[in-house]
Amino acid sequence: MYPKIILKPGKEESLRRFHPWVFSGAIARVEGGTLEEGDKAQVYSSQGDFLGVGHAQVGSISLRVLAFEPVSIDAGFYRRRIRQALELRRKMNLITPRNNTFRLIHGEGDSLPGLVVDIYGNTAVMQAHSPGMHLDRELIASALMEECAGWVENVYYKSENTLPFKAELDAQDGYLVGERGEERPVAVENGLQFYPDWEEGQKTGFFIDQRDNRALVERYAAQKRVLNMFCYTGGFSLYALRAGAREVVSVDSSEKAVALTRQNVALNFGKCAPHQAVACDAFDYLREHGKDFDLMILDPPAFAKHRNVLHQALQGYRKLNAIAFKNIAPGGILFTFSCSQAVSRQDFRLAVFSAAAQSGRNVRILHQLSQPADHPVNLYHPEGEYLKGLVLYVE
Ligand code: SAH
């Protein structure tokens, strides 16, 4: 079968608890061949017990386990995993005429480390985060087409910016199956329409992970003056408008994002919606125009991409939230988020706490938010938890 990675004595414990990563420091030797970027390999303990099979890679994580049983990683394997993921989404009741946008594969959370697949109606957008998934992309695309036969017609591969740079894989974004249609695609989330932009946009074209939290904004937004900071394609703004907000302002530093937000608002509410979109730095906007909003959403990009910039990131969250606490109207509701995996729930809460204390206002937590069910966290891989949010009542 595949080459064998033999671990040093005592280094098998985390794998026995189903944590799917093998770190380079745990490896004693490789038997039965050499390992190149993305090769498949088996892992054995120093006593010769089989532990798992997965994709090898050069770097501190040397192998991502795809299965803890001795199976081959082939078309049948990918089909089984995709089928299981799809069944789970069906159990979540996510695939309905009102919602054709969801994450089908969430890496370790769906026992496919290194792979993300997002669905927008009849298009699957696939993203590889490991060389092994990149090498298997055609196999995965075929498995997707077979398991989603009758409804997925296109598979777009978008991995130019997600693969390790040093692996020199020269990945190119493009359609593995199907092609760009004549008409601009429209996807539906909870009955709201939007233009996903998987070719040019950030991530896979839309931030699907805020679906449930956007629905919660809808519950609070009626009659409110709403400020949606870091709006990207305007997801939160659409829900606030549907709720009957008095006024919604969407802010993003990217002109492209602001243009997309305007288009998405027009698509759902026409040209006369009480909405304006502004291209501006969030900190500048909040300082100069942030007064008197009674519902604010702060959903910044990941301030900490790595643990070593954690301190700086926490300062960033503290600063941003401090301006919001200073400005939000009395009795205001603040939705505040962090999507940095390196920032723990506790760290984030502490940063928000410091910001609130600085303002001297009375603040209560109404909801503690996280990522939705289609971004499941494997209990044995807590690193998969990344999105956290607080809904605060600010007196
Ligand atoms: N809330 C969005 C996702 C936000 S992603 C949604 O629901 O889809 C983060 C966004 O922050 C990106 O669109 C990025 O362009 C924007 N951004 C990054 N730095 C910024 C800054 N300093 N000021 C304003 N926007 C910024």
Side-chain angles (χ1 to χ4, degrees):
M1 222 184 146
Y2 308 126
K4 292 182 179 176
I5 289 176
I6 315 293
L7 298 184
K8 292 176 184 164
K11 292 291 185 186
E12 67 281 0
E13 281 311 309
S14 65
L15 286 168
R16 290 210 192 278
R17 290 193 303 269
F18 308 113
H19 191 282
W21 295 348
V22 175
F23 290 96
S24 56
I27 297 176
R29 61 186 187 280
V30 176
E31 292 179 357
T34 51
L35 288 179
E36 308 278 335
E37 286 280 13
D39 282 352
K40 294 170 181 100
Q42 306 175 74
V43 202
Y44 281 80
S45 73
S46 59
Q47 281 102 27
D49 297 330
F50 173 86
L51 296 168
V53 54
H55 283 144
Q57 120 176 48
V58 177
S60 95
I61 300 175
S62 294
L63 183 107
R64 290 164 197 260
V65 175
L66 297 170
F68 292 94
E69 320 84 53
V71 293
S72 42
I73 307 303
D74 53 15
F77 167 80
Y78 284 115
R79 282 192 66 168
R80 286 195 302 279
R81 283 280 194 270
I82 290 168
R83 195 178 314 144
Q84 287 158 355
L86 195 53
E87 277 167 14
L88 181 57
R89 273 53 181 187
R90 292 218 161 94
K91 285 186 181 142
M92 295 168 195
N93 203 15
L94 269 180
I95 316 167
T96 69
R98 292 187 80 243
N99 195 80
N100 64 14
T101 302
F102 61 96
R103 177 154 292 190
L104 174 59
I105 304 289
H106 185 59
E108 281 82 356
D110 286 292
S111 299
L112 286 171
L115 183 68
V116 161
V117 178
D118 284 343
I119 302 285
Y120 301 101
N122 66 0
T123 298
V125 182
M126 185 174 138
Q127 203 158 60
H129 293 257
S130 69
M133 288 299 178
H134 172 69
L135 298 180
D136 283 349
R137 64 195 180 282
E138 298 281 354
L139 209 56
I140 298 167
S142 310
L144 268 169
M145 290 306 290
E146 281 164 20
E147 290 303 319
C148 307
W151 56 285
V152 166
E153 288 166 15
N154 313 300
V155 179
Y156 187 79
Y157 186 59
K158 185 169 189 184
S159 303
E160 276 179 17
N161 299 316
T162 56
L163 285 160
F165 173 69
K166 286 194 202 125
E168 292 181 356
L169 297 165
D170 200 22
Q172 280 172 12
D173 294 348
Y175 288 89
L176 296 176
V177 179
E179 58 190 1
R180 183 211 293 245
E182 297 265 297
E183 275 178 37
R184 190 171 179 187
V186 172
V188 192
E189 181 187 271
N190 284 332
L192 289 163
Q193 295 179 296
F194 62 92
Y195 298 113
D197 186 2
W198 50 79
E199 293 184 19
E200 301 291 327
Q202 303 176 37
K203 296 260 188 113
T204 63
F206 190 68
F207 284 74
I208 299 177
D209 57 2
Q210 288 288 22
R211 183 200 317 106
D212 293 353
N213 302 331
R214 291 179 186 133
L216 191 60
V217 161
E218 187 166 8
R219 256 167 64 186
Y220 283 96
Q223 305 300 321
K224 300 273 175 17
R225 274 196 83 215
V226 178
L227 178 60
N228 180 12
M229 294 305 283
F230 309 94
C231 67
Y232 187 38
T233 54
F236 284 103
S237 306
L238 298 183
Y239 286 72
L241 287 166
R242 186 165 67 182
R246 191 150 40 96
E247 184 192 350
V248 179
V249 179
S250 307
V251 178
D252 199 287
S253 55
S254 148
E255 295 273 359
K256 251 188 186 165
V258 167
L260 253 174
T261 296
R262 288 197 186 109
Q263 290 163 17
N264 284 334
V265 169
L267 180 65
N268 291 275
F269 306 103
K271 295 264 182 246
C272 302
H275 174 259
Q276 50 167 313
V278 186
C280 182
D281 176 76
F283 288 86
D284 292 345
Y285 189 90
L286 269 175
R287 270 191 212 102
E288 286 162 37
H289 311 282
K291 279 255 173 267
D292 301 328
F293 285 96
D294 30 34
L295 200 167
M296 268 192 202
I297 299 129
L298 302 177
D299 184 25
F303 283 167
K305 292 237 158 67
H306 306 286
R307 287 229 129 242
N308 46 8
V309 290
L310 186 60
H311 178 71
Q312 213 178 314
L314 291 174
Q315 293 299 333
Y317 289 116
R318 192 183 49 73
K319 251 175 67 185
L320 179 66
N321 283 279
I323 318 178
F325 284 123
K326 188 166 166 236
N327 283 334
I328 196 166
I333 307 272
L334 174 64
F335 280 68
T336 183
F337 294 97
S338 162
C339 61
S340 299
Q341 191 274 331
V343 173
S344 71
R345 204 163 270 281
Q346 195 54 32
D347 285 345
F348 178 59
R349 187 159 155 178
L350 208 58
V352 173
F353 163 88
S354 312
Q358 205 178 321
S359 74
R361 297 178 72 171
N362 191 25
V363 179
R364 282 182 267 174
I365 299 177
L366 306 183
H367 303 266
Q368 307 200 37
L369 307 178
S370 65
Q371 61 215 57
D374 55 341
H375 294 58
V377 182
N378 178 342
L379 190 61
Y380 304 108
H381 178 260
E383 296 91 333
E385 185 177 356
Y386 69 100
L387 183 62
K388 53 239 151 246
L390 293 167
V391 183
L392 304 169
Y393 183 63
V394 188
E395 285 173 85

